[in-house]
Amino acid sequence: MKILGLSAHYHDSAAALVIDGVPVAVVQEERLSRKKNDAAFPLKAIEWCLEQAKLEPEELDAVVFYEKPMLKFERILTSALRAFPKSWSSFPKAMKNSLGEKLWVKGIISSHLGIPGSKIFFTEHHQAHAAAAFLTQPAKRAAILTADGVGEWATLSVGVGEKMDDGRVAIKLLRELHFPHSLGMLYSTFTAFLGFEVNEGEYKVMGLASYGKPEYVDQVRQVISPEKNGAFSLHLDFFDFHTTAKRSYSEKFVQLFGKPRAPHEPLDPTTPEGARYANVAASVQRVLEDTLVEITKSLHEETGESVLCFGGGVALNGVANGRILRESGFSEMYVPCSPGDAGCALGAALYADRIFFKNPHVDFPDHPYWGPSVDPEELAAVASEDGLPIETVASDDALLDRTVDLLASDKIVGWMDGPCELGPRALGNRSILAAPHTVAMKDRLNKEIKYREEFRPFAPAVPIEVAGEYFELPPGGARLGAFMSGVFPVKPEWRDKLAAITHVDGTARVQTVERDKAPKFYALLEKYGKKTGIPILLNTSFNLAGEPIVTRAVEGYSTLRRCGIDVVIAGRYIVSKKPSHAVMPTDGGTS
Amino acid sequence: MTVETTPSREPQDAHKPVRSGDAHLRIVGAAGLDRILRPLHRWVWSDARRRGEKLLKFAQTEADGGRDIARAAERTHDALLRRLYLRHALDEQRHANLFRTRGRAILREVGQKREDGDATFDGNFFSPGERGLDDLQVDEESEGSLLAFLHLSEKAAARRFAVYQEVLEVDPVTRDVFVDVLKDEAFHMNYTLSQLKRVEPKKAGWRLWWARLTRLWKGYLRIASAIANVMGGIVLAVQYFVILPIFALMAKRSAKKELPGWAPARDGGERSLRSQY
């Protein structure tokens, strides 16, 4: 059976093709359109997915959209009515926004793909998240938690999943919290308050939190109250996101937390004002973690399951994930490589396949490498045309040796290998790699390549077998680290030698690398370990600020030419920058 | 292991230099309309806070423009164009940094962000940034049409920036930023034209006219959609106040009946995938 899953229209649109129960191609639209967080209907992604299987649209058995547009519209309209008359200015915008493309998804899919409406299906948003979390991991049974800003009405749901011996699959969502009571919206409100872009700057809040003390926890608890069984509710007079698109927090919120940070304002946690922002970040982070731990403890007691599958945008909060794993009672925790909306394309397709069409479950490898492959010849061709030095090595082994030499001599390497990753994290196929040992390397990466704030940490990649030697991993931590989904302490004795990846609070967002899932990257780590004594590399996504992660070799080349990366590697080609190619000076390009 | 290197050809070889003295300022002298609107531009730029905020918006526009040009570099199969586009993209990145740094400095000087209700008129319609009100779809353009578009766009921006630097007597530092940026704009304007003539020697003039018409058409569409947007907003606002109050009352009453905390998950059964509700 050939099923195409789609997510679109809000952020991070994507397409996923599942054939006979196995994903064959999954890609975010942004990786092909080169527009970061592209929310457009994913035509390029669809086209690429169908090309991989040499399918025409009419050969598809089903196309599954990741949410129910009419139910979502009901929520938008009802929210506007409930906020009457405060919502008068946002109402026309909301209606124009919804009554355009977003409400007529069935017709849009039908007209673009030329398929009848009878082949078009709709999961609920959190069903798609739940399926993406549960059906892409190896456990037979698990408790499921999904949490994001909002889907249709649900903002958070809990349930259980089971893959039965006869191949049948059950995903049962037990209960949910409804908009506007949302952990995702709470965190996004603080993201906006701290002067960062919503849906983009949440990582920054998490990074900033480590510089602060949770001195505002009592104030945060005034805006969110606990309810029975770990539930919570927001006190809406502190928020405006449910009444207007203009601002997400109210004047009362400002009275409670002080002046919001302007996006252009420099943020230095060592200044009193910067420390206040860091303390606010630390406080909301603490409350988010406490709330999630309460919910998951309750879920663990209720279900008795040992495995937790966690999906939705909130699952990108690696610090919270680390605490959940340590404190909730679950011995294993699984967060998919793309827990946000892009992953819902795959979740929707799998949900329809297993639950609606009742096809038996088929195991498939839980790696993130479902996107377009890199063409090394393309890199060689453009570099040769531009007269850049190209090294061609004779074997993969020689390539790894040469790469290790470069990394050990403090060169910054753009590394492209095989299919690109699904999700927001580069996991060794589209990565910028560097030696993880010095603060100077971290500063260089921030200033010359990523053009981002100094308080944001870089992640380490380490072979899974030795991760515990360098990082304090709780049971299940190594598994959680497969997609960089958990933040764990660096062992104190290694912090000085891993200064570039050790955050100010002594932690790191660890990627544990398995040989069978990423053999070349794993071998690189091993060889680097043999040369330097520490088999760990700094791994950050191969992109510049404001751009999606590179997909094609020529995009890696273009990135090389526009920032301080020293070499780009694809296939057996190593392309170096000429000294005359200047690096842009910058004061930090992002807010 | 072999090491292959080939001699470099820098993009500078491919265009005529325009950087001697103030030649760039003469080349990109302000257009008639912008000259007529000079008092308006002077007023727009006279307010320090507005100036700071406009520069930050310009920084964003330049950064976005840089990404578009980088995309053009990634798409082209013409090696010389790729090198020129990459240089152009770096210029845009540098401009973004210049505008951002200056904008932040001005806003620091005049104090922090105003309250929402105290918004100053930003005058962006009169003084847009580099790409101005144009909308560039790199993936949908042919090599020739992209160059023609870029040429016209850079020319318009250069003329506009020439006016801005003329009306910025009150702020010599910001004026210097525009003078600096203007030098690059002149280069961009020239290389896009010379490359258009190289890539499509017979169609260059036609391309430019087509690009001008396209800009006009897009301008019309923009104005028309803006008017439609305003009209739609008015109609919806009227509906909001005339039709919705009774429904709003009902919605508020039903909201009061909702209990805080967990709600049962919807169970539409397996058939529910056919429904959009």
Side-chain angles (χ1 to χ4, degrees):
Chain A
M1 194 164 195
K2 303 168 191 78
I3 301 175
L4 182 71
L6 300 177
S7 67
H9 291 158
Y10 289 90
H11 39 87
D12 233 2
S13 62
L17 182 63
V18 171
I19 298 181
D20 296 334
V22 177
V24 294
V26 191
V27 68
Q28 290 153 263
E29 183 73 359
E30 64 160 27
R31 301 294 165 85
L32 302 170
S33 71
R34 310 305 302 157
K35 291 174 190 159
K36 194 171 171 75
N37 299 331
D38 195 342
F41 187 76
L43 275 177
K44 290 186 170 75
I46 293 169
E47 203 173 301
W48 181 80
C49 285
L50 294 178
E51 266 175 27
Q52 299 317 294
K54 298 184 170 48
L55 285 181
E56 293 299 321
E58 55 269 25
E59 294 176 79
L60 291 167
D61 297 298
V63 178
V64 191
F65 194 67
Y66 80 126
E67 62 184 14
K68 293 183 179 289
M70 296 295 178
L71 190 59
K72 188 156 197 159
F73 180 68
E74 179 200 275
R75 189 257 300 163
I76 291 166
L77 185 59
T78 306
S79 298
L81 290 173
R82 285 179 178 177
F84 187 93
K86 269 181 82 178
S87 56
W88 77 270
S89 63
S90 62
F91 176 78
K93 280 182 198 162
M95 289 305 106
K96 280 184 274 181
N97 196 17
S98 298
L99 295 172
E101 209 179 28
K102 292 177 181 175
L103 201 53
W104 318 112
V105 173
K106 195 169 190 172
I108 288 166
I109 293 173
S110 188
S111 64
H112 278 306
L113 299 185
I115 57 169
S118 59
K119 283 188 176 181
I120 300 170
F121 301 87
F122 301 86
T123 65
E124 283 188 35
H125 188 97
H126 280 250
Q127 282 175 335
H129 275 314
F134 177 65
L135 295 174
T136 58
Q137 54 80 49
K140 292 280 183 196
R141 302 171 53 89
I144 299 170
L145 168 66
T146 65
D148 65 0
V150 60
E152 294 89 357
W153 275 102
T155 65
L156 186 148
S157 64
V158 294
V160 287
E162 184 179 3
K163 299 168 192 163
M164 292 165 238
D165 290 338
D166 60 3
R168 284 180 301 142
V169 171
I171 292 178
K172 174 79 177 165
L173 293 181
L174 303 168
R175 54 182 182 274
E176 59 195 27
L177 292 173
H178 284 175
F179 184 84
H181 307 290
S182 161
L183 278 182
M185 297 304 282
L186 173 78
Y187 209 78
S188 293
T189 298
F190 279 92
T191 302
F193 176 81
L194 292 168
F196 304 125
E197 196 180 338
V198 170
N199 289 333
E200 184 62 27
E202 281 76 6
Y203 289 119
K204 300 180 188 181
V205 177
M206 197 173 75
L208 181 63
S210 302
Y211 285 82
K213 294 174 187 155
E215 291 177 354
Y216 289 84
V217 161
D218 289 342
Q219 284 92 327
V220 179
R221 290 201 190 286
Q222 286 182 45
V223 308
I224 176 172
S225 311
E227 304 286 348
K228 283 180 188 170
N229 294 330
F232 60 86
S233 57
L234 300 184
H235 292 261
L236 297 177
D237 42 354
F238 289 99
F239 299 93
D240 272 345
F241 64 75
H242 57 300
T243 61
T244 172
K246 198 174 171 187
R247 199 167 80 157
S248 47
Y249 47 86
S250 70
E251 199 48 47
K252 198 172 169 186
F253 188 99
V254 175
Q255 285 166 14
L256 191 61
F257 292 102
K259 187 171 70 86
R261 176 180 162 265
H264 58 78
E265 201 180 325
L267 182 47
D268 179 359
T270 61
T271 64
E273 195 64 351
R276 180 172 72 85
Y277 295 131
N279 291 342
V280 170
S283 305
V284 68
Q285 176 65 29
R286 171 68 64 84
V287 172
L288 176 90
E289 291 168 23
D290 291 348
T291 309
L292 285 169
V293 167
E294 278 307 304
I295 290 170
T296 48
K297 266 184 181 173
S298 166
L299 183 63
H300 175 63
E301 283 165 17
E302 179 184 351
T303 63
E305 300 293 345
S306 59
V307 179
L308 173 68
C309 295
F310 187 12
V314 177
L316 288 165
N317 195 307
V319 180
N321 293 344
R323 262 196 74 189
I324 291 169
L325 188 60
R326 284 193 300 272
E327 299 178 29
S328 65
F330 288 104
S331 58
E332 245 182 277
M333 183 173 169
Y334 179 88
V335 174
C337 59
S338 182
D341 282 3
C344 282
L346 180 58
L350 291 173
Y351 188 93
D353 183 69
R354 311 297 202 262
I355 308 290
F356 184 76
F357 293 111
K358 298 186 190 312
N359 291 319
H361 179 74
V362 184
D363 282 326
F364 53 85
D366 59 336
H367 63 66
Y369 312 112
W370 299 109
S373 286
V374 71
D375 175 8
E377 298 305 324
E378 191 181 49
L379 175 67
V382 291
S384 168
E385 283 174 354
D386 287 1
L388 264 66
I390 306 171
E391 277 184 56
T392 310
V393 294
S395 66
D396 279 355
D397 208 43
L399 177 87
L400 295 175
D401 286 336
R402 181 73 182 114
T403 309
V404 164
D405 287 343
L406 289 164
L407 290 164
S409 59
D410 278 342
K411 297 289 185 200
I412 297 174
V413 173
W415 175 262
M416 308 183 78
D417 180 41
C420 75
E421 299 90 340
L422 171 67
R425 282 154 188 161
L427 297 166
N429 278 17
R430 298 292 186 279
S431 291
I432 293 174
L433 304 175
H437 313 297
T438 64
V439 173
M441 178 58 79
K442 176 185 165 182
D443 290 344
R444 197 183 147 204
L445 279 160
N446 271 329
K447 285 179 182 157
E448 294 182 11
I449 293 163
K450 302 299 277 190
Y451 305 140
R452 68 186 204 181
E453 300 85 348
E454 289 175 11
F455 60 79
R456 293 178 65 190
F458 288 103
V462 57
I464 192 164
E465 297 84 357
V466 297
E469 291 176 26
Y470 302 94
F471 305 97
E472 292 172 8
L473 301 176
R479 182 67 189 80
L480 184 60
F483 302 148
M484 275 190 200
S485 304
V487 172
F488 304 107
V490 181
K491 286 190 170 174
E493 62 270 30
W494 289 106
R495 288 180 188 173
D496 285 344
K497 289 178 181 168
L498 295 171
I501 55 89
T502 304
H503 200 27
V504 64
D505 58 357
T507 63
R509 185 156 50 87
V510 182
Q511 181 197 357
T512 51
V513 182
E514 293 168 69
R515 188 192 297 272
D516 58 337
K517 289 180 188 163
K520 202 164 169 184
F521 190 41
Y522 185 96
L524 181 69
L525 291 167
E526 271 191 328
K527 278 187 182 279
Y528 186 79
K530 278 181 190 155
K531 185 165 180 92
T532 65
I534 302 178
I536 295 174
L537 285 171
L538 182 154
N539 176 12
T540 186
S541 54
F542 196 168
N543 64 332
L544 298 181
E547 296 181 11
I549 297 173
V550 299
T551 302
R552 294 168 54 209
V554 70
E555 291 152 12
Y557 172 80
S558 153
T559 307
L560 168 83
R561 295 293 303 270
R562 291 181 290 132
C563 72
I565 292 174
D566 297 304
V567 298
V568 166
I569 296 174
R572 291 180 184 171
Y573 298 111
I574 302 172
V575 172
S576 308
K577 187 180 278 176
K578 284 192 297 190
S580 62
H581 293 146
V583 173
M584 284 298 300
T586 180
D587 63 338
T590 52
S591 58
Chain B
M1 187 181 299
T2 59
V3 179
E4 302 163 11
T5 56
T6 51
S8 163
R9 284 178 297 156
E10 285 304 308
Q12 283 87 344
D13 304 338
H15 62 87
K16 294 169 189 170
V18 290
R19 289 170 183 264
S20 57
D22 280 343
H24 58 279
L25 295 183
R26 288 195 298 276
I27 290 167
V28 297
L33 181 62
D34 279 324
R35 283 198 178 283
I36 293 164
L37 292 176
R38 197 179 303 189
L40 189 61
H41 287 305
R42 181 170 279 113
W43 173 76
V44 166
W45 285 98
S46 61
D47 181 83
R49 174 165 283 137
R50 184 161 53 218
R51 200 157 59 239
E53 289 177 355
K54 285 185 71 61
L55 289 172
L56 290 179
K57 283 182 185 164
F58 280 18
Q60 189 58 49
T61 310
E62 294 283 327
D64 290 344
R67 283 190 274 275
D68 285 339
I69 305 293
R71 180 71 183 144
E74 290 158 7
R75 281 186 71 246
T76 186
H77 296 291
D78 184 314
L80 178 57
L81 272 184
R82 184 172 52 249
R83 290 196 290 276
L84 286 162
Y85 284 149
L86 283 171
R87 177 180 166 182
H88 189 161
L90 280 167
D91 286 344
E92 304 284 33
Q93 211 169 312
R94 192 177 73 86
H95 300 168
N97 286 334
L98 284 170
F99 284 135
R100 186 182 302 111
T101 305
R102 182 60 194 145
R104 283 177 177 172
I106 291 172
L107 289 174
R108 268 199 297 277
E109 283 166 20
V110 298
Q112 288 308 324
K113 194 184 175 188
R114 59 170 180 260
E115 293 304 312
D116 276 356
D118 187 28
T120 52
F121 170 69
D122 62 14
N124 279 331
F125 186 81
F126 301 108
S127 51
E130 155 108 25
R131 206 61 64 217
L133 299 171
D134 289 332
D135 178 28
L136 178 58
Q137 303 287 337
V138 174
D139 285 356
E140 292 167 18
E141 304 284 350
S142 71
E143 209 79 270
S145 66
L146 179 62
L147 283 165
F149 174 92
L150 285 176
H151 172 70
L152 294 181
S153 184
E154 296 292 332
K155 192 171 173 180
R159 284 175 165 172
R160 209 170 295 124
F161 284 179
V163 172
Y164 297 168
Q165 59 94 20
E166 283 173 25
V167 299
L168 273 165
E169 305 98 335
V170 289
D171 184 350
V173 181
T174 303
R175 181 194 160 109
D176 289 347
V177 169
F178 277 109
V179 171
D180 189 352
V181 169
L182 203 47
K183 291 175 189 169
D184 291 334
E185 300 303 333
F187 162 63
H188 300 157
M189 199 174 86
N190 285 353
Y191 97 78
T192 45
L193 183 60
S194 61
Q195 291 307 307
L196 174 61
K197 287 175 179 169
R198 179 182 69 83
V199 172
E200 296 199 345
K202 290 180 183 168
K203 286 187 182 172
W206 182 83
R207 284 283 186 206
L208 285 170
W209 276 108
W210 184 251
R212 283 188 190 103
L213 289 173
T214 305
R215 276 164 63 91
L216 271 176
W217 174 244
K218 283 183 177 173
Y220 161 73
L221 286 181
R222 201 174 296 113
I223 290 166
S225 64
I227 292 168
N229 195 35
V230 170
M231 288 170 64
I234 291 168
V235 170
L236 284 164
V238 168
Q239 286 181 346
Y240 180 86
F241 286 111
V242 174
I243 300 171
L244 294 196
I246 184 72
F247 297 103
L249 192 66
M250 290 160 66
K252 282 173 190 257
R253 288 182 68 177
S254 78
K256 282 180 188 164
K257 289 180 192 163
E258 285 180 5
L259 296 172
W262 295 110
R266 275 163 43 103
D267 183 12
E270 287 157 9
R271 302 294 300 165
S272 70
L273 260 64
R274 293 201 183 277
S275 168
Q276 297 190 58
Y277 293 93

